[in-house]
Amino acid sequence: KAVVSTQSTGENDIDECGLDNLDFTMEIEEFGVSEVRELKTGSRNVLVTNDNKKEYVKLLCQMKMTGSIRSQIKAFLDGFYDIIPRHLISIFSDSELELLISGLPSIDIDDLKANTEYHKYQVNSLQVQWFWRALRSFSQSERAKFLQFVTGTSKVPLQGFSALEGMNGTQKFQIHRDDRSTDRLPSAHTCFNQLDLPVYETYDKLRKQLLTAISECPEGFGLA
């Protein structure tokens, strides 16, 4: 089966994309052996249509990220839980567990600022100045949450923020101007170390919205 772009499948007309023969299966290669797996029980003969394409994209992503390596994940977890019982570790979220293992990082705001790129903002833009003021006012734990929010991890690169990694290699922290409603919270794209910052009217509102975002919205992902 041809490799299918999940973005084009989810956003475009199935017939126009030439995907009218696409079904709810996926070819998996495991230890050199290929097999076709159903994305859900009994879906081998279910064709993808404009009505069910979002379900298809969701199930395809689940299969790619976890379903295709289910046996390997199970083997890892069996060994892990032999060392640390599940009931002891299950009380922590993934971000809490990372901080527990790695400790609270020391985040150099000046280094981060020196390695930041701006899009539709300038270094002297009022919202940018407020952002750095707010970040400096944060505690170390709040700074760690911010770093997790925008990069996916609380770890600071050993070489400093100039060595920050993104999806395609070295990628500096980016602040993008979000021209939508200022009632929105800041959002992040961790694959690109990117923060989308609305044009808030006051410093207090920016700081409050940023704290809410990193405290209440640290998990989840979207398809870009």
Side-chain angles (χ1 to χ4, degrees), residues 117 161 163-167 169-174 191-193:
E117 299 173 345
F161 285 108
L164 195 63
E165 290 285 326
M167 184 175 67
T170 303
Q171 174 63 68
K172 291 184 178 181
F173 171 53
Q174 307 175 64
C191 291
F192 307 105
N193 303 323

Side-chain angles (χ1 to χ4, degrees), residues 2-10 19 56-57 60:
V3 176
V4 178
S5 166
T6 55
Q7 182 176 3
S8 64
T9 304
L19 303 174
Y56 169 78
V57 170
L60 184 67

Side-chain angles (χ1 to χ4, degrees), residues 110-128:
D110 290 327
D111 183 38
L112 178 60
K113 185 177 181 180
N115 290 284
T116 295
E117 299 173 345
Y118 303 96
H119 297 262
K120 296 176 65 178
Y121 271 129
Q122 304 295 327
V123 66
N124 59 350
S125 297
L126 194 56
Q127 286 75 21
V128 169

Side-chain angles (χ1 to χ4, degrees), residues 29-222:
E29 183 174 333
E30 192 171 36
F31 303 113
V33 178
S34 297
E35 67 170 310
V36 175
R37 294 186 186 175
E38 296 180 334
L39 296 181
K40 63 179 182 179
T41 304
S43 67
R44 186 175 298 272
N45 297 316
V46 177
L47 292 178
V48 179
T49 66
N50 288 315
D51 292 331
N52 63 19
K53 62 185 180 182
K54 290 186 178 180
E55 180 188 14
Y56 169 78
V57 170
K58 177 182 177 181
L59 293 173
L60 184 67
C61 291
Q62 289 176 345
M63 179 63 74
K64 282 181 175 292
M65 290 187 290
T66 58
S68 61
I69 54 172
R70 186 176 292 114
S71 59
Q72 293 93 324
I73 293 176
K74 182 179 184 303
F76 170 80
L77 289 176
D78 288 345
F80 184 84
Y81 292 142
D82 278 344
I83 300 172
I84 305 177
R86 182 169 186 166
H87 70 276
L88 295 180
I89 208 75
S90 61
I91 62 173
F92 300 105
S93 68
D94 54 347
S95 57
E96 291 170 337
L97 184 59
E98 181 184 10
L99 290 175
L100 184 66
I101 295 173
S102 304
L104 198 63
S106 177
I107 298 174
D108 187 338
I109 302 299
D110 290 327
D111 183 38
L112 178 60
K113 185 177 181 180
N115 290 284
T116 295
E117 299 173 345
Y118 303 96
H119 297 262
K120 296 176 65 178
Y121 271 129
Q122 304 295 327
V123 66
N124 59 350
S125 297
L126 194 56
Q127 286 75 21
V128 169
Q129 295 181 47
W130 287 342
F131 165 79
W132 291 115
R133 176 184 166 191
L135 201 56
R136 291 182 189 280
S137 75
F138 287 179
S139 66
Q140 283 296 330
S141 62
E142 290 168 340
R143 293 180 184 183
K145 288 181 180 179
F146 169 77
L147 195 58
Q148 284 180 327
F149 179 71
V150 295
T151 70
T153 177
S154 63
K155 294 180 181 178
V156 177
L158 293 176
Q159 303 95 326
F161 285 108
S162 63
L164 195 63
E165 290 285 326
M167 184 175 67
N168 299 313
T170 303
Q171 174 63 68
K172 291 184 178 181
F173 171 53
Q174 307 175 64
I175 300 178
H176 288 236
R177 176 172 170 147
D178 185 346
D179 287 314
R180 292 172 292 180
S181 171
T182 56
D183 291 331
R184 293 174 59 89
L185 295 175
S187 57
H189 305 269
T190 56
C191 291
F192 307 105
N193 303 323
Q194 175 181 327
L195 177 71
D196 290 346
L197 185 66
V199 189
Y200 294 119
E201 300 88 350
T202 67
Y203 165 75
D204 289 338
K205 184 174 183 179
L206 183 148
R207 187 180 188 280
K208 178 183 177 182
Q209 296 288 77
L210 185 59
L211 267 179
T212 300
I214 66 175
S215 301
E216 305 296 336
C217 314
E219 299 176 348
F221 69 92

